[in-house]
Amino acid sequence: MISGGLGSGDLEAWFQNLMLSAGGEKSEGKGAAMAGWKDLPMELLLRIISLLDDRMVIVASAVCTGWRDSLCLGLTNLSLSWCKNNMNSLVQSLVPKFTKLQVLTLRQDRPQLEDIAVETVANYCHDLRDLDLSKSFRLTDRSLHALAHGCPRLTKLNISGCSAFSDSALAYLTDYCRNLKNLNLCGCVRAATDSALQAIAYNCGQLQTLILGWCEGVSDNGVTSLAVGCPDLRALDLCGCVLITDESVIALANGCPRLRSLGLYYCKNITDRAMYSLANSRVKSKHGLWGSMQNNSDEKEGLMNLNISQCTALTPPAVQAVCDSFPALHTCPERHSLIISGCLNLTSVHCACAVQAQRVSFSADCLVGSLILTLANFCDSYFESDISISTLLDPIWILSMVWSCIF
């Protein structure tokens, strides 16, 4: 990796050393040789740049117009999350150079971004697919409106913690960005409402992942709309959505056969009825009611992660039914994908591999007991009978004794 602070003289010396180490002599019939580091082919330059961190990419873009132009055409992934100060200005100065960006990460430890920076992104990065604006507390609806018009190809958007966005602005965005597959709305209390979820269900039928953690305004109306409009949903986080009831889980069990991860942490209104609906959905899939699942081995796995921590209304039989229906759910420490912390009454629930381990342990205990009994019989046979030493050492006699003790 190239260290910081390289000037043109340093680059010239570095290039000369590179040419000398490679032979440095011009070969006839092989085209023009490179006269300096500025003549590096774009493919080679982009390969070198791919080995650098994002800060050095920015430095490289300022070396010369040739490098800047090459980076403008070839750079597709950029993260500025390392910037602790002046991210707003940095975005405005850099983004116009990198118009081919497809992935842009602007996650912040403390709020810096303002609407003008996001508007710059929308004005120049029309091919953007993945945008992370998490913890951008200063952004307003202006940003979502700009993204709606400037970045219609978005497939992944993280606006978690952006508490100033409204549900009407989010609905407006989904009307233009209809290719969204991954949407993180964690903590977006004003934006993530039933009205917004209904717009998402109507506009974003390809949605696969939706994070709604601690969006307390979400109710069954919004979730049931998602179950109808987004049948390809794979992961849904409803942790802290305290208004959710069994109706939401039943709708998801019936409408989203590809659901792999479901977070219901602190959804205290969830009862056994929801668990049995999940278990029954697995039974239905095995009987071919969702024929599309039969053609894909991955689809047969069903739920792979379920968080029901603090769902204190659930009982062991209902949760055990879910665990038995979905082999990928585990309570064992090594895999632990069925999370039941805070539910002391569910400690008896065990996955299939945990039960198997108990059976193996029980069988081992039985075998040890049998061997001890066999040893005792050997001793009794030797001291209480006239059996000779040669008989005791006879393999056939030993096997017969072991067989009789065990069976």
Side-chain angles (χ1 to χ4, degrees):
M1 183 177 292
I2 301 174
S3 59
L6 291 177
S8 60
D10 298 321
L11 287 170
E12 187 67 43
W14 173 80
F15 178 80
Q16 293 299 332
N17 291 333
L18 176 64
M19 296 302 293
L20 288 173
S21 64
E25 297 180 358
K26 298 181 180 180
S27 301
E28 296 181 1
K30 293 186 178 180
M34 291 185 292
W37 50 265
K38 296 180 181 179
D39 296 325
L40 286 174
M42 184 176 72
E43 293 81 3
L44 177 58
L45 173 61
L46 293 176
R47 174 59 180 161
I48 295 173
I49 292 299
S50 69
L51 303 176
L52 307 179
D53 61 26
D54 292 298
R55 287 180 244 204
M56 284 307 303
V57 170
I58 296 172
V59 173
S61 68
V63 169
C64 64
T65 56
W67 281 30
R68 183 194 64 199
D69 294 342
S70 296
L71 288 173
C72 287
L73 293 174
L75 187 67
T76 60
N77 193 325
L78 181 65
S79 173
L80 300 179
S81 295
W82 49 265
C83 182
K84 305 303 180 184
N85 297 290
N86 302 317
M87 181 186 285
N88 206 57
S89 301
L90 187 61
V91 170
Q92 294 180 69
S93 62
L94 288 178
V95 165
K97 299 178 183 179
F98 305 135
T99 58
K100 301 298 182 181
L101 285 177
Q102 294 186 11
V103 180
L104 179 59
T105 304
L106 301 176
R107 184 180 181 87
Q108 305 147 78
D109 292 329
R110 61 183 184 84
Q112 301 180 61
L113 279 186
E114 297 176 357
D115 290 325
I116 189 171
V118 179
E119 289 171 341
T120 303
V121 172
N123 288 335
Y124 288 93
C125 301
H126 302 302
D127 200 34
L128 199 63
R129 312 297 174 89
D130 183 342
L131 178 61
D132 187 345
L133 296 174
S134 51
K135 297 185 179 180
S136 298
F137 303 123
R138 295 183 180 180
L139 298 182
T140 70
D141 290 350
R142 280 175 52 193
S143 293
L144 294 186
H145 284 98
L147 291 174
H149 293 286
C151 305
R153 297 184 179 181
L154 278 174
T155 59
K156 184 177 181 180
L157 179 63
N158 185 348
I159 54 174
S160 58
C162 298
S163 53
F165 291 149
S166 69
D167 56 351
S168 60
L170 179 59
Y172 185 86
L173 173 77
T174 63
D175 194 27
Y176 289 85
C177 301
R178 293 175 175 253
N179 295 319
L180 281 172
K181 293 185 177 181
N182 190 316
L183 183 58
N184 191 336
L185 302 174
C186 181
C188 297
V189 180
R190 294 186 60 229
T193 64
D194 288 341
S195 176
L197 295 187
Q198 289 167 358
I200 292 172
Y202 182 79
N203 295 319
C204 305
Q206 302 178 57
L207 193 68
Q208 296 182 0
T209 300
L210 180 60
I211 311 299
L212 294 171
W214 306 106
C215 295
E216 298 178 354
V218 173
S219 74
D220 293 332
N221 291 332
V223 178
T224 52
S225 296
L226 288 172
V228 174
C230 304
D232 200 32
L233 203 60
R234 313 291 177 91
L236 179 62
D237 185 357
L238 296 171
C239 295
C241 297
V242 294
L243 300 180
I244 295 300
T245 72
D246 294 338
E247 300 305 321
S248 291
V249 179
I250 294 172
L252 293 169
N254 293 329
C256 302
R258 295 178 177 84
L259 193 64
R260 297 292 168 267
S261 178
L262 180 60
L264 297 172
Y265 172 77
Y266 212 77
C267 296
K268 291 181 175 291
N269 294 322
I270 299 298
T271 70
D272 290 351
R273 184 164 165 252
M275 295 299 100
Y276 284 121
S277 70
L278 289 173
N280 290 335
S281 71
R282 178 63 172 168
V283 174
K284 291 178 182 178
S285 69
K286 287 182 178 180
H287 286 82
L289 294 184
W290 292 320
S292 60
M293 296 180 64
Q294 305 299 323
N295 300 323
N296 190 330
S297 59
D298 293 335
E299 302 291 337
K300 296 180 181 179
E301 294 299 322
L303 272 179
M304 302 177 70
N305 291 280
L306 178 62
N307 187 346
I308 50 175
S309 299
Q310 302 296 334
C311 296
T312 53
L314 299 177
T315 64
V319 179
Q320 188 64 60
V322 175
C323 197
D324 293 341
S325 297
F326 299 99
L329 290 178
H330 294 275
T331 57
C332 49
E334 295 79 9
R335 304 173 77 172
H336 201 207
S337 56
L338 176 59
I339 306 173
I340 54 177
S341 59
C343 301
L344 298 179
N345 62 322
L346 298 181
T347 54
S348 62
V349 176
H350 294 290
C351 59
C353 56
V355 173
Q356 182 65 27
Q358 290 179 347
R359 289 176 179 172
V360 171
S361 177
F362 178 76
S363 299
D365 292 341
C366 292
L367 180 59
V368 171
S370 298
L371 291 176
I372 292 174
L373 182 60
T374 301
L375 179 60
N377 286 333
F378 273 130
C379 294
D380 291 342
S381 299
Y382 180 72
F383 290 109
E384 298 179 3
S385 66
D386 297 329
I387 300 176
S388 63
I389 295 296
S390 59
T391 301
L392 287 173
L393 297 178
D394 183 9
I396 297 178
W397 186 85
I398 293 174
L399 288 174
S400 66
M401 288 295 297
V402 172
W403 183 268
S404 63
C405 290
I406 295 178
F407 300 98

